[in-house]
Amino acid sequence: MSLKAGIVGLPNVGKSTLFNSITKKNILAANYPFATIEPNVGVVTVPDERLNFLNDLYCPKSLVPTIVEFFDIAGLVKGASKGEGLGNKFLSHIREVDAIVEVVRCFEDGNVIHVENNVDPVRDIEIIDVELILADLEIVENRLGKIEKKVTMSKDKEGLKEVAVLKKVKEGLINNEPSRRLSLSDDELKILKPFNLLTLKPIIYVANISEDDLLEQSNKYVEIVKEYAIKDSAEVIVICAKVESELVDLDEDEKKVFLTDLGVCESGLDKLIKSTYKLLGLETFFTAGSDEVRAWTFKTGMKAPACAGIIHTDFEKGFIKAEIMSYDDLKELGTDKSVKENGKMRLEGKDYLMKDGDICYFRFNKS
């Protein structure tokens, strides 16, 4: 299980520079629109300090972290929903991702062209919102046109439920409300899932600032973005894409010194990757031993058998018990043996809800 996040934004806001830093890939980052035409895909590991401890403790033959896939998607302009710029490509690519990472330009630089000629983060966000809203509205109206009259006449219960939720979404879109801001029940979300609505995808805003503003830890545009993000209950990650690109070639010790000199304790990219990983309610459990220490991604609320099935379907089918200790207990007590002696090792059954940081050994019937 992995998360696919699409990095989006207007041209020249720092998307490709950010992507280069995330994936350490040398894709084209040029000072003109549409430098990225096809979505570049990079797989990155989720920073997790717990893996370092487990690696030192077990000295395994292999160490496998969890991952996030980032898609760098071509820049958007006004009229994308009608095919302007690379609009149709943009909209098709963004439908494939689970979450949206929207890079917003929050820096002044006369040498970097802004497609709208001046810096205005709210305007830039709203340009993208409008295009996504128009694209979703077309899908909703097309579906209503096909089924509304038929289900109204037939009184089909399931069809009527679909029409009701589509009308609810349509009204919101007409009023410039992305679907993620609507109060939708679990049943309504289930009905909407096949439509893969763009405005229903969870979002993180990335405020891209200058190096000077990073040093001063002050930027008027960031505060504007944070205020706007409240509408979406969205997190705002502040980064300097230029600085992050300089961190790429440094080793961990050099990186720590660099960040300390800047007055920050963690890179913007590490914060972004962690936040993106958690955006969809994803957590981590571990398997650990001398052969392999591995982090596994699971959805919050999953039970032990389903998590066992992430490793192998046979583990879920033949699930008997899960032998579990928490990472915190292991770190405090130092060894598996100490965890057992202190009564902190547990046997859990089929109804056990997995927790972030669980270290598991699954017992299953092999027949």
Side-chain angles (χ1 to χ4, degrees), residues 4 47 70 100 125 209 214 227 261 284 294 314 323 337 357:
K4 296 180 180 179
F70 281 95
I100 296 172
I125 292 171
I209 64 174
L214 184 63
E227 185 176 345
D261 289 343
T284 303
R294 182 163 184 161
D314 287 348
E323 189 175 293
K337 183 180 178 181

Side-chain angles (χ1 to χ4, degrees), residues 42-195:
V43 178
V44 296
T45 59
V46 178
D48 194 328
E49 296 80 5
R50 295 173 296 186
L51 279 175
N52 297 328
F53 172 80
L54 294 174
N55 188 52
D56 291 341
L57 179 63
Y58 291 98
C59 300
K61 296 174 184 176
S62 65
L63 180 69
V64 184
T66 53
I67 63 169
V68 176
E69 290 182 84
F70 281 95
F71 290 64
D72 182 36
I73 299 173
L76 190 67
V77 293
K78 286 180 181 178
S81 60
K82 302 300 181 185
E84 292 295 324
L86 297 172
N88 291 331
K89 283 181 176 288
F90 173 94
L91 295 170
S92 65
H93 291 147
I94 197 175
R95 287 197 190 280
E96 298 171 5
V97 304
D98 302 305
I100 296 172
V101 175
E102 182 170 341
V103 183
V104 185
R105 179 167 168 173
C106 293
F107 65 89
E108 302 274 2
D109 188 338
N111 295 318
V112 180
I113 302 165
H114 192 295
V115 72
E116 293 293 325
N117 298 318
N118 69 310
V119 177
D120 184 340
V122 170
R123 177 207 57 210
D124 294 353
I125 292 171
E126 289 180 342
I127 286 174
I128 290 180
D129 276 350
V130 166
E131 297 307 322
L132 301 187
I133 283 170
L134 290 174
D136 279 354
L137 187 59
E138 183 177 2
I139 287 177
V140 170
E141 288 181 333
N142 285 344
R143 180 60 177 170
L144 282 171
K146 289 180 180 178
I147 69 165
E148 184 176 8
K149 186 175 181 180
K150 183 169 71 173
V151 301
T152 302
M153 292 177 65
S154 67
K155 306 295 183 183
D156 175 67
K157 289 184 179 180
E158 295 304 313
L160 288 171
K161 288 180 183 178
E162 182 179 340
V163 167
V165 70
L166 287 173
K167 283 187 172 181
K168 181 177 180 178
V169 169
K170 178 181 176 181
E171 182 179 357
L173 295 173
I174 288 173
N175 290 308
N176 286 324
E177 284 293 315
S179 301
R180 61 179 170 270
R181 295 181 191 166
L182 302 178
S183 296
L184 296 167
S185 67
D186 290 342
D187 287 341
E188 289 173 325
L189 290 171
K190 188 175 180 180
I191 291 169
L192 292 171
K193 188 175 181 180
F195 301 106

Side-chain angles (χ1 to χ4, degrees), residues 17-27 42-44 244 247-252 255 269:
T17 302
L18 175 62
F19 183 82
N20 287 347
S21 305
I22 288 175
T23 62
K24 300 183 182 179
K25 286 187 176 181
N26 188 27
I27 62 167
V43 178
V44 296
E244 298 295 338
L247 288 170
V248 168
D249 296 321
L250 302 181
D251 63 31
E252 286 304 312
K255 188 181 294 186
L269 288 181

Side-chain angles (χ1 to χ4, degrees), residues 187-221:
D187 287 341
E188 289 173 325
L189 290 171
K190 188 175 180 180
I191 291 169
L192 292 171
K193 188 175 181 180
F195 301 106
N196 210 8
L197 297 178
L198 301 174
T199 62
L200 201 53
K201 296 181 185 294
I203 191 167
I204 290 177
Y205 293 103
V206 173
N208 187 16
I209 64 174
S210 69
E211 189 170 358
D212 288 342
D213 285 345
L214 184 63
L215 288 166
E216 294 174 8
Q217 298 187 6
S218 174
N219 182 291
K220 63 181 180 181
Y221 297 123

